[in-house]
Amino acid sequence: VATARDPLRTGRYLEARHGPAVYAPMAGIDVLHLFGPDALGLALRNDDAAFSNRLGWARYLDHVFPGAILAMDGREHRVQRRIMQAAFTRDSLRDYVERMNPNIGRGVDQWLAGQRRRDGLRVYPALKRLTLDVATSTFMGIASGRDADRINAAFVAAVTASMALVRVDAWPTSYWRGLRGRRYLVERIRELLPMRRGRQLPDLFSQMCSARSEEGERFSDDEVINHMIFVMMAAHDTSTSALTTMMYLLARYPDWQVRLREHSLALGKDTLDIDQLGALDEMTWVMQEALRLYPPLAIMPRMTVKPVAFAGYEIPPYTMVALSPIATHHTPSLWTNPDRFDPVRFSPDRAEHKRHRYAWAPFGGGAHVCIGQHFAGLEIRSTLHQLLRRYRWSIPPTYRMPFQFLPIAKPRDGLPLRIERL
Ligand code: HEM
């Protein structure tokens, strides 16, 4: 329970006391926690195919996200990933950015309407709404409006159900609501499929329909449906988490907020293209630092399917394993003052993240490395750029954001920020 509640503190304690491989219960099951960048490298590179994603992730994903690419192994994963990659080329990303920029602008323009006088705006739900709207329009090609609202509601219900402790498919459980939400999404996507199959539109849905691997393989209808639903989930909770953390850190360290805003204002325009977003160096360091301190996926599950040698131990097959990017991101031998917010550590001069290939792994690594990491970086930078040009935000000096780390990091209190228009 403690590991699930605070994986950083417990991880540090366990590693300091017992070394890099420790059995400890987590959320009701006995799990072998592996610490350090070598452990991340071993399991993520997975050279001997000794770690299974399928057996690690299935218990969390299979009910509501069947057919998720993250819960696939070996050849099946390779084939699906090769096809999906075709929907994430640089040209596709360029189009996604064009499409999402105005949506982000419209979304953040409405923010002040949500600010209550006493405790400010709860930023986490506002960002979640924004990233979900962006996903519905950029990914599914559905403009905001009632249709998008219904899809978003079905989607939120499905994600809630995937985390439900009580898995009874009967009214009025959140699980029942989530499965109903999933069925609605499946029906809607299936209905739209013939239209998307026939046309080369720039949304992710159309790209997934026409995506072909170099070998010519393509997705079946059911695969497009499952991938669309999973990608929507993988995309929006994680980006919301990262953006929330960045806004929090920029409120705690206002000199950085000023520094980034000066740059965004100096650029003189609200919307930037893929190349201009990529050139926002200081904002990129802040993003990398936020993802280091508070990786949205603090822990990743795997199961061994063969004996594995690690740090002088032999891990037996069918051991449930937890990989801990968050603990590695705070290791003093890799990072200077690891608890300090210090974005410049990512500058080319210091490049602390290059001290070990797996020192910084918020997007995972190896065959399952996040397929949306470049999209995420663009969405995050575009959103922050547009926010910085419109608003200034702050928190009381003593405020510390209370984190809930699992399954995806978020503030327990929604992060109330005081926001003023510039
Ligand atoms: C800051 C934002 C994000 C973070 C921190 C993040 C993190 C991750 C991590 C750690 C994994 C690997 C998990 C594992 O190996 O167990 C992953 C996989 C994945 N992510 Fe992301 N992600 C983000 C945004 C996105 C976005 C925007 C998309 C889609 C547009 C996306 C789609 C996926 C998919 C499809 C996978 C599974 C890939 C595979 O199994 O081959 N993610 N992500």
Side-chain angles (χ1 to χ4, degrees):
V1 173
T3 320
R5 198 175 306 133
D6 192 341
L8 175 57
R9 239 178 59 188
T10 3
R12 275 180 158 165
Y13 170 82
L14 290 173
E15 189 180 2
R17 240 184 121 106
H18 303 287
V22 191
Y23 277 104
M26 189 169 77
I29 42 174
D30 224 7
V31 173
L32 182 66
H33 296 259
L34 298 183
F35 296 111
D38 292 338
L40 283 174
L42 179 74
L44 295 176
R45 263 197 328 269
N46 202 13
D47 291 332
D48 296 335
F51 292 87
S52 165
N53 263 54
R54 167 96 212 111
L55 299 180
W57 274 108
R59 74 176 64 223
Y60 307 106
L61 296 176
D62 270 11
H63 294 264
V64 187
F65 299 102
I69 189 167
L70 187 55
M72 291 179 180
D73 285 330
R75 193 186 127 70
E76 184 189 23
H77 175 257
R78 268 194 307 280
V79 172
Q80 300 286 310
R81 173 98 188 190
R82 270 199 310 246
I83 308 174
M84 195 181 279
Q85 206 75 55
F88 287 91
T89 59
R90 192 160 171 89
D91 284 344
S92 311
L93 291 179
R94 190 176 293 281
D95 286 339
Y96 301 153
V97 169
E98 295 287 302
R99 285 177 75 90
M100 78 181 156
N101 272 336
N103 282 309
I104 293 173
R106 273 194 298 277
V108 298
D109 272 338
Q110 293 162 14
W111 270 26
L112 283 187
Q115 176 158 239
R116 277 180 271 144
R117 209 175 298 150
R118 270 189 45 235
D119 58 350
L121 174 74
R122 286 174 69 237
V123 160
Y124 179 79
L127 282 169
K128 193 162 164 124
R129 159 106 224 170
L130 184 73
T131 55
L132 196 49
D133 276 350
V134 167
T136 315
S137 58
T138 314
F139 292 175
M140 291 190 62
I142 293 176
S144 49
R146 283 190 40 207
D147 204 17
D149 287 348
R150 201 136 176 231
I151 288 177
N152 288 356
F155 197 72
V156 169
V159 174
T160 310
S162 70
M163 291 156 205
L165 293 176
V166 180
R167 293 191 167 165
V168 178
D169 186 11
W171 183 85
T173 63
S174 62
Y175 188 66
W176 170 82
R177 217 166 270 125
L179 290 188
R180 214 170 56 143
R182 180 184 162 87
R183 279 193 292 275
Y184 176 75
L185 291 173
V186 171
E187 273 164 31
R188 285 295 279 127
I189 297 175
R190 200 180 292 285
E191 223 171 80
L192 295 168
L193 252 164
M195 253 165 57
R196 297 297 199 283
R197 280 263 189 231
R199 291 160 57 193
Q200 281 282 355
L201 296 175
D203 57 86
L204 180 85
F205 187 7
S206 307
Q207 297 292 314
M208 291 268 225
C209 287
S210 58
R212 277 198 174 43
S213 67
E214 279 169 16
E215 287 71 22
E217 303 131 321
R218 51 176 265 174
F219 289 138
S220 68
D221 286 359
D222 285 345
E223 284 165 352
V224 171
I225 292 170
N226 286 337
H227 290 325
M228 279 305 297
I229 296 176
F230 178 70
V231 166
M232 296 263 295
M233 192 279 276
H236 97 276
D237 272 348
T238 45
S239 301
T240 305
S241 168
L243 273 164
T244 305
T245 308
M246 285 171 81
M247 288 196 71
Y248 165 61
L249 290 168
L250 292 175
R252 257 190 87 179
Y253 303 93
D255 47 332
W256 272 96
Q257 192 183 141
V258 170
R259 195 161 158 177
L260 295 194
R261 178 172 301 105
E262 275 171 5
H263 191 183
S264 281
L265 289 175
L267 289 172
K269 49 184 183 173
D270 271 346
T271 53
L272 303 178
D273 66 23
I274 185 169
D275 304 313
Q276 294 160 331
L277 288 170
L280 293 172
D281 288 342
E282 297 200 340
M283 191 186 286
T284 303
W285 304 341
V286 170
M287 178 174 78
Q288 289 170 311
E289 181 68 334
L291 290 170
R292 180 185 72 84
L293 287 166
Y294 308 105
L297 256 91
I299 289 189
M300 296 182 275
R302 293 290 188 271
M303 190 181 270
T304 56
V305 286
K306 291 180 187 169
V308 177
F310 174 66
Y313 301 100
E314 186 176 298
I315 306 169
Y318 304 104
T319 302
M320 192 69 190
V321 166
L323 305 172
S324 180
I326 195 166
T328 302
H329 289 180
H330 288 78
T331 301
S333 56
L334 293 169
W335 305 95
T336 312
N337 294 325
D339 293 342
R340 229 177 72 198
F341 175 70
D342 179 11
V344 181
R345 69 171 87 242
F346 287 94
S347 64
D349 286 348
R350 285 178 54 195
E352 293 185 8
H353 54 305
K354 297 201 173 144
R355 288 179 178 166
H356 187 293
R357 181 136 185 236
Y358 292 91
W360 186 78
F363 294 105
H368 286 274
V369 68
C370 177
I371 205 167
Q373 63 175 307
H374 299 299
F375 178 88
L378 294 165
E379 180 182 19
I380 289 168
R381 280 173 285 201
S382 172
T383 308
L384 204 64
H385 170 72
Q386 301 209 46
L387 282 167
L388 286 162
R389 288 177 55 86
R390 285 170 173 78
Y391 305 118
R392 182 179 299 117
W393 58 92
S394 57
I395 43 171
T398 52
Y399 172 86
R400 295 291 174 270
M401 186 161 101
F403 271 97
Q404 174 187 315
F405 281 100
L406 299 185
I408 294 180
K410 66 172 191 179
R412 288 179 201 280
D413 61 355
L415 180 59
L417 287 185
R418 176 139 301 281
I419 300 202
E420 302 160 57
R421 199 173 278 284
L422 291 187

